[in-house]
Amino acid sequence: MFHFFKKSVSQITEEPEPQNEFERAARYHCEVRGLDDRPIFLADVKDYDGDSFRLFPTLDSDAPSVIYNNRYKLVFRTPSQPTPVWTGRVRGSTYEFWKMDELTRLRDEQRASFRQRVSLSAVVRNLLGLPENGEILTSAYYSQDYDQCEVLDVGMGGLQISSSHPFRQNDLLGVTGLRLHHDPQPFALPLQVRWVAAEDGTYRCGCAFHAVPEQEERRLCAAMFSLQRASLGRM
């Protein structure tokens, strides 16, 4: 009698190939600019195959008309500094997207993220906690105390406020009723105080955005890009 034994073979699991630098950056929104740094539109990279890719407008709008074979800068809004930058050549387009290839890596942008000086009124208050799982900030997280504040500047990373209340470093705050550019819906954003400076009975606070939901981040990105274009006089 013959006995057959099945040889156990350990299953080989294929490890995913590590992402290259462009793929890592492409997880974030990018500013599409002319080679003279003129803002064109805010976009998301899709369908990158190691050579070519498509750029879709971040918001629900048509892709701008473009002349084929021109090169444009792609400046990615990654959370860390410095900011990675490439150029790419336009190979085709529809009203939905641009198709690009021939990526060339440029020197990183060392400057901090764009900050727009503004003078906007908003409401600020301490938070009892932070939203989880991408939830939008609601009144359930607000403390009862609140203060009117002036927003002095705003960027993708945070904003600066002037308030009569002496907030402290690392306080968690919520800013509400903030209207940026032509966005009809006010923002409600969670903040963490990074620094405080007292002057003439008021307190200036530099605040970083904290756990902003994806959909609000997209709105904020678009509003900041519009503010940048407006500040450069290129509406």
Side-chain angles (χ1 to χ4, degrees):
M1 186 178 216
F2 297 96
H3 297 279
F4 295 94
F5 297 91
K6 182 182 290 186
K7 186 177 181 180
S8 61
V9 179
S10 59
Q11 291 187 345
I12 300 175
T13 57
E14 293 187 1
E15 293 289 337
E17 293 186 7
Q19 292 182 320
N20 65 29
E21 189 182 19
F22 183 77
E23 287 176 304
R24 291 193 298 271
R27 292 179 296 174
Y28 303 94
H29 306 306
C30 78
E31 296 178 10
V32 183
R33 304 182 190 170
L35 298 182
D36 59 354
D37 279 325
R38 175 175 55 94
I40 307 297
F41 69 114
L42 194 68
D44 296 312
V45 173
K46 295 184 180 180
D47 305 325
Y48 176 62
D49 61 7
D51 177 36
S52 64
F53 56 94
R54 295 192 291 176
L55 284 177
F56 287 81
T58 297
L59 294 185
D60 297 329
S61 58
D62 292 347
S65 57
V66 63
I67 298 175
Y68 295 175
N69 295 318
N70 280 358
R71 297 192 71 86
Y72 289 86
K73 288 176 70 173
L74 307 175
V75 182
F76 287 89
R77 290 188 176 276
T78 59
S80 59
Q81 295 292 334
T83 302
V85 183
W86 282 263
T87 65
R89 187 179 299 279
V90 178
R91 291 305 191 189
S93 69
T94 71
Y95 71 92
E96 293 182 318
F97 62 84
W98 288 7
K99 187 174 180 63
M100 301 187 76
D101 61 11
E102 289 190 16
L103 282 170
T104 300
R105 184 70 159 90
L106 298 184
R107 180 180 299 175
D108 290 339
E109 289 199 351
Q110 299 295 330
R111 66 176 176 84
S113 60
F114 171 74
R115 282 290 183 115
Q116 176 64 49
R117 291 187 179 276
V118 294
S119 179
L120 301 170
S121 63
V123 173
V124 64
R125 66 192 84 204
N126 287 102
L127 293 181
L128 303 175
L130 287 172
E132 297 180 353
N133 302 320
E135 295 178 355
I136 294 177
L137 191 64
T138 64
S139 58
Y141 297 95
Y142 302 155
S143 66
Q144 292 184 349
D145 297 331
Y146 69 91
D147 190 46
Q148 290 291 139
C149 71
E150 180 185 5
V151 178
L152 304 176
D153 68 39
V154 61
M156 277 305 300
L159 49 78
Q160 183 182 164
I161 63 172
S162 175
S163 169
S164 61
H165 186 83
F167 295 111
R168 295 174 298 179
Q169 187 177 8
N170 295 323
D171 277 354
L172 292 176
L173 309 178
V175 63
T176 61
L178 177 61
R179 294 183 182 273
L180 294 175
H181 203 53
H182 300 312
D183 197 317
Q185 182 180 351
F187 285 90
L189 300 167
L191 309 168
Q192 186 167 33
V193 178
R194 296 301 192 196
W195 55 265
V196 180
E199 54 180 35
D200 299 328
T202 62
Y203 300 87
R204 288 190 301 112
C205 301
C207 304
F209 294 128
H210 195 77
V212 177
E214 171 67 19
Q215 62 191 83
E216 289 299 278
E217 184 182 280
R218 289 168 65 89
R219 287 182 58 224
L220 181 62
C221 232
M224 288 306 307
F225 193 71
S226 296
L227 282 170
Q228 185 175 7
R229 295 187 66 178
S231 72
L232 295 174
R234 293 187 172 106
M235 290 300 292

